[in-house]
């Protein structure tokens, strides 16, 4: 819960692995994939340790609050010749990004001035073709690649320009190139990247790229080696590098660009002179606003199915300008330019290469894939109990009951209200006895106005010096839900220890199963602090990107606030990530089980520690529709466990909207229905019988698919595969898939086509070239790559299985504790040639590091030549006692004469000649043993 757009008042953790970076090919054989996964994991763990070393040795803060005068005047430039200024308007790059200029001021910069009718599109003041910039010295080899010095003869028009830069070009791997641009004379703030860069140089024989340089003015070009395509060309506009303004432009290889979250946009970004600001902010999602998270990463779909990605490792406020050239300009307000380019060549490899830099996602506990129910406004423990009881009575599967801040005493975290929630510990125990879990909200702000001796988290925090300070070294006080609050500095190791102690103490009373870290942008209801902020260049930089509220400190802390690693100006975008890391680590130590953390704010690398939800969305059809690109983007950012508040958080839902949202939400990787205080209720049981029936069926469908979903998460954790996946990732050479974001895939085999329009009972769904079988009845569609009109009455969400795949499923139950003991079943979707493949990862669902400790089962299923065989490649006992109860085979061409299971005749099978589905029931084949099911076709 946070601010709505209507009320504007209101590495670190980053892993690096050379070994992993070498293995960039999508490996086809599963054995290879397992080998690779083990190595990746070791490296991720190594990076984990390195984080601690790095934290104790922080880089020097930059941009301190002293206002440096910067009057060294740049040389008055000559007005450029007309020919230098004649170019297509799409090719103009803005020379007045930092502020609006008159014609005279523009020409004084040596730029071209040519007004247009429209002041929102192409710039009026723009760089001429040749604009003086940095001059590049000779490239010399270094241990990691090559280096050069860049110098400029006269300073740019920006305050505190840096006239000498060091460029280093690091060949990380075949598909992964790394450029850094720094000030060689003074250490600037850098995002703490643990482990830094591997020391061994990679064989450059078969790299996927070539590089070229323009020496004056400096620029570089990166091409894809195989076809010469230009991936990056920074010569399109000058490089600028001043203390608080860093700018780098590049052309784009196509106009199919995705990423650059967190924003309220379609999956394909709009390049029509738009700008996207990355600055974490408590703001209800709406267009043209910076939202809760920052992800300076984009992926470009090239022609012919290739793709590449670019990551700017920078945590300062960033604005990205997109223009139809097509081209992109990064502007950051600090740090260094630290740019990674991932050559793929296919989209999934791009994501894997990116995650090799920022870390692979965590393995979630099995129960966290079940249904979660929450509302701000469950005002007592008895109300909360009743909600869960209603769900149970109405037979809705549900694993986790939540409470918002209602539970807390005077809204202070680590307390619970003695009257309304006096028996909270007992309530949690009751849920546990019923196989359910319990989660509550935990905000970072620590109330600072309780009487001394009455609120340990603050008293103890004061003693241990864990809070963020203001510019003059006093604890910075802001205002959040409990009133005046101090903010923990999670970049300080002592803070993380104190945080763990607070959680441990609370957990000893209220044994929560996970924590929901909200308001961690961090959100602040006063600007900067209760004292305001001092006037300085960090509070009011020479250039402020377009941010909600107009100033960087709007809705958050003063930029001059001091943290252990640097000032908040540099660290702001890392607040949620550092809190997620601290919370994840604390939960591991306290519970000794797989942790579950849900964070609102995010930054690259958070997927290693936390799930994310898309914040305070409204209950309307547009927000339903835009939740899909939001969820898919987090997948690209390495956060596969993501979902939107089902039925919407703000405003009243309607029955129809909520049914459609529960159906779509059944396919969010993280599935939670969450509502605000004053709205109409939206728990499944409040609706009419038909609506309830539709929601129950969506929930049962999800629960039946959990073994498959869990296996997808295993591949995300070990191989950086995406879970909820855009169609272009799986069908990169199909131009029809380039922009689709109303449908998506689970893994490579399930296509989900939800209804997103009010009143619609059918929808046009795109089916990429393949045979697709309806998951409901096995009806095949032989698609050549076409839109089909699918029937979608209120009780239906269309899901299709792709030929050649086997989906492991399990009979659903009201909790995962119960469903995990039920019989498995298989849905087998045969290819035209009669083949299919699938796999199952299974463990106890809750222990730490089961994959890393080899404490799991892994079974593959293969179909071909009229039989299905299972092959348990690895067993640890977790599948003991579990059976395969039945299976359905889609695409069996003719009726079988008989069916054999492990060589014995089976009497319970049916075959439908219309849909060509063979169903074999009443099996009880042990999952922990290899089995065979054969059928003999009549000729
Ligand atoms: C700009 O506006 C003027 C006057 O309204 C019009 O004559 C002219 O054609 C417009 N130019 C363009 C490029 O649209
Ligand atoms: C890079 O961009 C510049 C400026 O637009 C252009 O003249 C040049 O041809 C481009 N280089 C390549 C290799 O595309
Ligand atoms: C770009 O935006 C302008 C103004 O908003 C609009 O007139 C134009 O049609 C848009 N162009 C495209 C290609 O969408
Ligand atoms: C659930 O069902 C039980 C048993 O029928 C009943 O006693 C209880 O009142 C019901 N609770 C709710 C919240 O519906
Ligand atoms: C909750 O309900 C129980 C049983 O009806 C009652 O004894 C208890 O006082 C209630 N608790 C609160 C905090 O209202
Ligand atoms: C820091 O906080 C102290 C105590 O609240 C206050 O007196 C001082 O003015 C603050 N300093 C700044 C720079 O805001």
């Amino acid at each position: 819960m946070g601010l709505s757009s209507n009320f504007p008042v209101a590495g670190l953790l980053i892993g690096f692995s050379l070994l992993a970076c070498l293995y960039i090919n999508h490996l086809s054989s599963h054995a290879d994939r397992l080998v690779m996964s083990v190595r990746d994991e070791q490296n991720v763990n190594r990076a984990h340790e390195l984080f601690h070393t790095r934290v104790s040795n922080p880089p020097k803060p930059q941009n301190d609050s002293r206002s440096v005068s910067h009057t060294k005047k740049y040389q008055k430039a000559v007005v450029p010749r007309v020919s230098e200024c004649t170019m297509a308007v799409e090719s103009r790059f803005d020379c007045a990004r930092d502020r609006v200029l008159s014609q005279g001021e523009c020409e004084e910069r040596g730029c071209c001035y040519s007004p247009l009718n429209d002041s929102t599109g192409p710039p009026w003041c723009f760089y001429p073709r040749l604009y003086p910039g940095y001059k590049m010295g000779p490239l010399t080899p270094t241990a990691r690649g090559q280096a050069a010095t860049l110098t400029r003869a006269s300073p740019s028009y920006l305050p505190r320009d840096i006239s000498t830069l060091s460029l280093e070009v690091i060949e990380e791997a075949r598909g992964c190139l790394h450029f850094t641009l720094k000030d060689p004379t003074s250490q600037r703030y850098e995002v703490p990247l643990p482990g830094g860069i591997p020391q061994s140089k990679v064989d450059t024989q078969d790299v996927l790229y070539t590089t070229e340089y323009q020496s004056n003015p400096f620029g570089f070009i990166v091409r894809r080696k195989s076809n010469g395509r230009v991936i990056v060309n920074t010569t399109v506009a000058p490089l600028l590098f001043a203390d608080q303004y860093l700018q780098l432009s590049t052309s784009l290889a196509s106009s199919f660009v995705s990423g650059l979250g967190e924003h309220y946009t379609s999956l394909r970004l709009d390049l029509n002179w738009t700008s996207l600001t990355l600055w974490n902010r408590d703001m209800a999602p709406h267009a043209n606003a910076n939202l809760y998270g920052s992800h300076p990463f984009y992926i470009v779909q090239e022609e012919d199915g290739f793709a590449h990605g670019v990551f700017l490792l920078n945590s300062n406020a960033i604005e990205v300008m997109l223009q139809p050239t097509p081209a992109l300009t990064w502007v950051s307000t600090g740090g260094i330019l630290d740019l990674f380019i991932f050559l793929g060549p296919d989209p999934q490899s791009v994501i894997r290469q990116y995650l090799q830099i920022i870390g692979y996602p965590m393995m979630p506990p099995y129960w966290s894939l079940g249904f979660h129910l929450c509302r701000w406004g469950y005002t007592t423990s008895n109300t909360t109990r009743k909600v869960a009881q209603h769900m149970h009575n109405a037979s809705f599967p549900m694993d986790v009951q939540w409470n918002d801040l209602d539970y807390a005493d005077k809204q202070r975290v680590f307390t619970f209200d003695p009257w309304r929630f006096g028996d909270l510990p007992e309530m949690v125990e009751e849920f546990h006895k019923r196989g359910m879990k319990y989660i509550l909200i935990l905000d970072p702000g620590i109330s600072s106005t309780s009487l001394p001796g009455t609120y340990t988290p603050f008293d103890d925090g004061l003693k241990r010096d864990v809070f963020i300070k203001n510019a003059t070294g006093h604890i910075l006080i802001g205002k959040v839900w409990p009133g005046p609050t101090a903010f923990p500095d999670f970049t300080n190791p002592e803070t993380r220890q104190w945080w763990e102690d607070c959680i441990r103490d609370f957990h000893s009373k209220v044994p929560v199963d996970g924590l929901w870290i909200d308001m961690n942008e961090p959100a602040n209801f006063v600007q900067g602090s209760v004292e305001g902020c001092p006037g300085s260049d960090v509070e009011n930089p020479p250039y402020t990107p377009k941010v909600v509220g107009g100033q960087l400190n709007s809705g958050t802390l003063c930029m001059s606030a001091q943290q252990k690693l640097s000032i908040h100006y540099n660290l702001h975008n890392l607040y949620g990530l550092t809190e997620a890391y601290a919370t994840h680590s604390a939960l591991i130590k306290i519970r000794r089980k797989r942790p579950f953390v849900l964070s609102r704010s995010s930054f690259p690398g958070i997927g290693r520690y936390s799930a994310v939800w898309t914040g305070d969305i409204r209950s309307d059809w547009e927000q339903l529709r835009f939740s899909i690109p939001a969820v898919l983007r987090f997948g690209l950012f390495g956060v596969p466990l993501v979902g939107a508040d089902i039925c919407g958080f703000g405003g009243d839902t309607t029955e129809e909207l909520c049914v459609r949202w529960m159906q779509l939400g059944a396919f969010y990787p993280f599935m939670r229905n969450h509502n605000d205080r004053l709205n109409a209720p939206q728990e499944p049981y409040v609706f009419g019988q038909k609506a309830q029936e539709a929601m129950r069926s969506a929930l049962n469908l999800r629960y039946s698919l959990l073994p498959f979903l869990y296996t997808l998460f295993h591949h995300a954790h070990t191989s950086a595969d995406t879970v909820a996946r855009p169609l272009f990732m799986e069908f990169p050479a199909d131009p029809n898939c380039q922009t689709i974001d109303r449908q998506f895939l689970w893994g490579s085999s399930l296509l989900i086509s939800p209804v997103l329009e009010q009143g619609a009972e059918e929808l046009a769904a795109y089916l990429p070239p393949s045979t697709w079988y309806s998951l409901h009845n096995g009806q095949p569609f032989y698609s050549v790559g076409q839109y089909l009109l699918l029937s979608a009455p209120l009780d239906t969400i269309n899901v299709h299985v792709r030929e050649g795949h086997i989906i492991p499923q399990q009979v659903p139950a009201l909790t995962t504790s119960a469903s995990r003991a039920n019989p498995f079943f298989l849905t087998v979707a045969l290819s035209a040639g009669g083949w299919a493949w699938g796999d199952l990862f299974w463990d106890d669902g809750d222990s730490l590091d089961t994959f890393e400790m080899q404490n799991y089962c892994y079974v593959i299923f293969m179909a071909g030549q009229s039989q299905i065989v299972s092959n348990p490649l690895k067993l640890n006992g977790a599948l003991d006692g579990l059976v395969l109860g039945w299976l359905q085979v889609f695409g069996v061409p003719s009726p079988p004469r008989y069916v054999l299971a492990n060589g014995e005749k089976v009497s319970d099978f049916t075959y439908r000649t219309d849909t060509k589905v063979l169903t074999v029931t009443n099996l009880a084949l042990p999952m922990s043993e290899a089995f065979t099911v054969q059928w003999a076709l009549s000729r």
Side-chain angles (χ1 to χ4, degrees):
M1 58 189 168
L3 293 189
S4 95
S5 50
N6 303 331
F7 300 100
V9 280
L12 181 99
L13 329 165
I14 288 173
F16 187 83
S17 141
L18 170 62
L19 275 174
C21 223
L22 288 168
Y23 282 79
I24 53 154
N25 266 348
H26 193 93
L27 299 172
S28 47
S29 110
H30 196 85
D32 284 351
R33 187 201 284 238
L34 282 178
V35 170
M36 164 186 159
S37 308
V38 175
R39 295 186 184 189
D40 291 345
E41 198 50 45
Q42 285 164 351
N43 283 286
V44 167
N45 289 341
R46 186 147 47 83
H48 216 274
E49 290 153 22
L50 288 161
F51 170 55
H52 297 282
T53 5
R54 186 59 186 260
V55 165
S56 55
N57 184 17
K60 257 190 271 162
Q62 198 67 30
N63 308 312
D64 63 30
S65 53
R66 281 163 298 148
S67 181
V68 181
S69 84
H70 43 71
T71 44
K72 195 170 151 197
K73 188 80 180 137
Y74 58 93
Q75 279 173 7
K76 197 174 163 100
V78 234
V79 177
R81 286 199 308 271
V82 174
S83 64
E84 284 286 291
C85 298
T86 312
M87 60 180 79
V89 289
E90 304 84 61
S91 301
R92 293 181 175 188
F93 284 83
D94 199 349
C95 176
R97 172 60 53 194
D98 52 320
R99 59 193 183 90
V100 177
L101 298 182
S102 68
Q103 176 163 6
E105 290 167 323
C106 173
E107 287 169 351
E108 197 177 327
R109 286 186 175 185
C111 286
C112 310
Y113 191 82
S114 165
L116 300 165
N117 283 4
D118 181 4
S119 65
T120 61
W124 296 8
C125 177
F126 52 99
Y127 298 108
R129 272 175 221 290
L130 275 182
Y131 189 78
Y134 290 93
K135 183 169 173 228
M136 182 186 181
L139 268 175
T140 55
T142 68
R144 309 188 299 181
Q146 293 173 301
T149 299
L150 312 183
T151 49
R152 55 185 311 148
S154 56
S156 76
Y157 51 81
L158 295 163
R160 276 169 285 139
D161 195 54
I162 296 167
S163 59
T164 303
L165 296 177
S166 63
L167 166 74
E168 192 169 14
V169 187
I170 305 148
E171 298 150 352
E172 304 285 11
R174 295 174 57 229
C176 177
L177 180 62
H178 181 187
F179 288 84
T180 62
L181 279 161
K182 307 183 187 186
D183 180 351
T185 60
S186 96
Q187 165 84 50
R188 293 174 60 76
Y189 166 76
E190 293 181 29
V191 182
L193 177 71
I197 301 309
Q199 293 305 306
S200 57
K201 196 174 154 187
V202 175
D203 177 9
T204 52
Q205 286 305 301
D206 49 1
V207 292
L208 296 181
Y209 50 80
T210 61
T211 51
E212 297 151 46
Y213 300 90
Q214 175 177 298
S215 61
N216 193 12
F218 164 76
F220 59 88
I221 290 158
V222 178
R223 291 176 193 269
R224 181 177 296 291
K225 196 174 174 185
S226 64
N227 59 14
R229 180 172 299 129
V230 176
I231 299 297
V232 167
N233 177 356
T234 75
T235 72
V236 294
L239 161 71
L240 297 175
F241 203 126
D243 186 25
Q244 288 181 278
Y245 189 103
L246 293 69
Q247 175 176 300
L248 183 72
S249 300
T250 177
S251 62
L252 294 166
S254 89
S255 55
F256 295 94
V257 185
S258 299
L260 300 173
E262 186 177 2
H263 298 97
Y264 188 75
T265 62
S266 51
L267 187 60
R268 179 195 182 182
L269 295 172
D270 178 3
L271 303 190
N272 191 8
W273 305 103
T274 52
S275 97
L276 297 168
T277 297
L278 310 183
W279 188 243
N280 295 358
R281 172 70 204 231
D282 169 16
M283 182 45 58
H286 64 284
N288 305 315
N290 52 305
L291 303 178
Y292 313 99
S294 291
H295 295 270
F297 167 78
Y298 63 83
I299 180 168
V300 178
Q301 300 175 58
E302 304 165 27
E303 286 158 37
D304 47 42
F306 290 157
H308 65 268
V310 174
F311 171 42
L312 179 66
L313 175 59
N314 183 293
S315 63
N316 287 89
I318 293 175
E319 189 169 350
V320 187
M321 269 64 63
L322 298 164
Q323 59 187 72
T325 324
L328 173 153
T329 297
W330 298 101
V331 172
S332 172
T333 60
I336 64 162
L337 289 175
D338 202 353
L339 200 72
F340 294 83
I341 301 166
F342 311 107
L343 274 288
D346 58 283
Q348 186 63 61
S349 300
V350 170
I351 301 306
R352 189 169 300 115
Q353 289 155 5
Y354 175 40
L355 268 52
Q356 280 157 3
I357 301 298
I358 64 166
Y360 282 18
M362 54 149 192
M363 185 67 194
Y366 196 93
W367 55 263
S368 70
L369 305 183
F371 178 62
H372 302 247
L373 185 58
C374 185
R375 178 173 189 175
W376 193 11
Y378 294 151
T379 50
T380 67
S381 54
N382 278 352
T383 307
T384 311
R385 279 187 177 92
K386 218 177 278 173
V387 168
Q389 191 58 49
H390 258 295
M391 288 294 288
H392 185 85
N393 283 13
S395 297
F396 290 109
M398 159 165 162
D399 265 72
V400 194
Q401 178 64 52
W402 294 48
N403 274 119
D404 205 311
L405 205 49
D406 305 280
Y407 75 86
D409 183 17
K410 303 190 192 80
Q411 317 215 21
R412 296 171 309 171
V413 293
F414 301 119
T415 70
F416 56 95
D417 187 295
W419 304 110
R420 294 178 297 109
F421 280 86
D423 61 349
L424 180 59
E426 290 76 17
M427 182 186 86
V428 177
E429 291 300 354
E430 284 160 36
F431 288 148
H432 286 169
K433 283 203 191 92
R434 291 165 42 186
M436 290 174 57
K437 306 287 178 192
Y438 177 75
I439 291 174
L440 47 67
I441 200 167
L442 181 62
D443 293 342
I446 301 294
S447 166
S448 60
T449 48
S450 302
L451 283 176
T454 65
Y455 185 49
T456 317
F458 183 70
D459 296 341
D460 194 33
L462 266 189
K463 240 180 276 161
R464 296 168 70 170
D465 195 15
V466 305
F467 297 118
I468 294 180
K469 309 274 178 47
N470 70 14
T472 49
H474 300 85
I475 291 175
L476 181 143
I477 301 298
K479 254 189 191 159
V480 203
W481 299 114
T485 52
F487 297 85
D489 170 14
F490 293 103
T491 70
N492 179 353
E494 181 60 21
T495 307
R496 295 198 289 270
Q497 188 56 54
W498 159 85
W499 188 245
E500 180 187 323
D501 295 343
C502 292
I503 296 175
R504 184 187 304 281
D505 183 56
F506 187 70
H507 184 270
S508 71
K509 298 170 201 138
V510 185
V512 296
D513 298 287
L515 289 168
W516 170 22
I517 52 175
D518 194 11
M519 305 297 282
N520 56 351
E521 292 69 31
N524 185 358
F525 298 160
V526 294
Q527 185 170 355
S529 83
V530 293
E531 313 269 345
C533 300
S536 77
D537 279 338
V538 293
E539 306 295 348
N540 297 297
Y543 172 67
T544 299
K546 285 193 204 87
V547 290
V548 170
Q551 284 184 284
L552 295 181
N553 56 24
S554 305
T556 190
L557 312 185
C558 295
M559 294 298 105
S560 54
Q562 303 181 58
Q563 299 188 233
K564 178 94 174 172
L565 283 191
S566 187
I567 50 174
H568 194 67
Y569 180 82
N570 292 323
L571 296 173
H572 173 78
N573 279 346
L574 300 177
Y575 196 82
L577 172 61
T578 56
E579 187 196 18
Y581 172 69
T583 311
H584 172 97
S585 310
L587 284 176
I588 289 180
K589 293 201 185 114
I590 294 161
R591 293 177 71 250
R592 295 267 148 221
K593 288 196 174 138
R594 225 175 282 170
F596 176 87
V597 178
L598 178 70
S599 177
R600 190 170 69 184
S601 170
S602 63
F603 190 78
I606 195 155
R608 298 174 64 184
Y609 309 113
S610 184
V612 166
W613 93 106
T614 64
D616 296 348
I617 57 172
R618 277 194 323 274
S619 301
D620 67 38
W621 291 88
E622 187 196 81
Q623 299 256 341
L624 168 73
R625 180 246 176 288
F626 278 101
S627 73
I628 301 180
V631 163
L632 296 179
R633 260 192 303 272
F634 272 109
L636 306 179
F637 301 148
V639 189
L641 193 55
V642 55
D645 281 347
I646 291 169
C647 304
F649 173 75
D652 294 340
T653 189
T654 63
E655 180 171 279
E656 183 193 2
L657 175 64
C658 200
V659 168
R660 292 310 192 184
W661 215 322
M662 285 290 288
Q663 288 171 337
L664 169 59
F667 290 90
Y668 292 154
F670 169 63
M671 184 185 190
R672 184 182 71 158
N673 177 322
H674 177 39
N675 197 3
D676 198 356
R677 277 176 297 189
L678 302 171
N679 305 331
Q682 61 189 37
E683 296 83 5
Y685 55 77
V686 304
F687 297 105
Q689 284 312 313
K690 272 187 71 179
Q692 288 199 32
E693 197 44 58
M695 292 179 178
R696 195 175 293 113
S697 124
L699 280 165
N700 279 322
L701 178 59
R702 180 188 178 88
Y703 271 63
S704 80
L705 287 165
L706 289 182
F708 175 62
L709 181 61
Y710 192 58
T711 303
L712 293 179
F713 270 99
H714 163 69
H715 292 307
H717 175 59
T718 57
S719 309
D721 288 352
T722 46
V723 174
R725 187 174 296 178
L727 270 68
F728 80 76
M729 298 276 287
E730 197 61 30
F731 301 94
D734 181 350
N736 293 309
C737 290
Q738 285 180 311
T739 59
I740 291 177
D741 62 4
R742 295 170 159 260
Q743 299 169 263
F744 59 99
L745 295 151
W746 264 14
S748 53
S749 45
L750 280 193
L751 176 63
I752 295 107
S753 309
V755 168
L756 303 170
E757 315 284 343
Q758 184 172 8
E761 298 247 304
E762 56 185 24
L763 79 153
Y766 182 72
L767 302 189
S770 180
T771 296
W772 296 91
Y773 300 90
S774 160
L775 180 60
H776 301 291
N777 58 17
Q779 182 83 48
F781 294 97
Y782 309 97
S783 175
V784 294
Q786 66 204 91
Y787 278 89
L788 287 181
L789 198 59
L790 301 175
S791 162
L794 193 64
D795 63 356
T796 301
I797 176 164
N798 279 281
V799 181
H800 290 88
V801 194
R802 187 175 172 188
E803 63 171 307
H805 292 268
I806 299 178
I807 313 291
Q809 296 181 251
Q810 209 168 15
V811 174
L814 293 187
T815 62
T816 56
S817 325
S819 71
R820 282 174 53 87
N822 278 349
F824 283 86
F825 61 99
L826 297 178
T827 295
V828 181
L830 295 179
S831 67
W835 300 91
W837 188 93
D839 63 345
L840 172 71
F841 175 86
W842 196 257
D843 57 11
D844 70 6
D846 214 6
S847 291
L848 290 168
D849 301 326
T850 56
F851 174 73
E852 295 74 7
M853 312 288 286
Q854 302 279 315
N855 189 17
Y856 63 94
C857 299
Y858 184 73
V859 184
I860 62 172
F861 308 101
M862 282 170 292
Q865 297 174 317
S866 303
Q867 63 175 349
I868 294 156
V869 299
S870 82
N871 184 0
L873 290 182
K874 178 154 180 50
L875 292 170
N876 76 328
L879 278 172
D880 290 0
L882 295 174
V883 298
L884 183 82
W886 61 282
L887 53 82
Q888 52 183 350
V889 191
F890 297 162
V892 175
S894 58
R897 282 179 293 138
Y898 57 84
V899 174
L900 303 176
N902 287 344
E904 309 225 342
K905 272 205 171 168
V906 172
S907 50
D908 293 314
F909 70 90
T910 58
Y911 179 80
R912 284 188 59 154
T913 43
D914 55 347
T915 52
K916 301 193 185 318
V917 175
L918 165 66
T919 307
V920 185
T921 53
N922 268 330
L923 299 170
L925 307 174
M927 286 293 288
S928 54
E929 292 165 25
F931 60 72
T932 306
V933 176
Q934 301 163 267
W935 58 95
L937 295 181
S938 41
R939 12 202 108 241

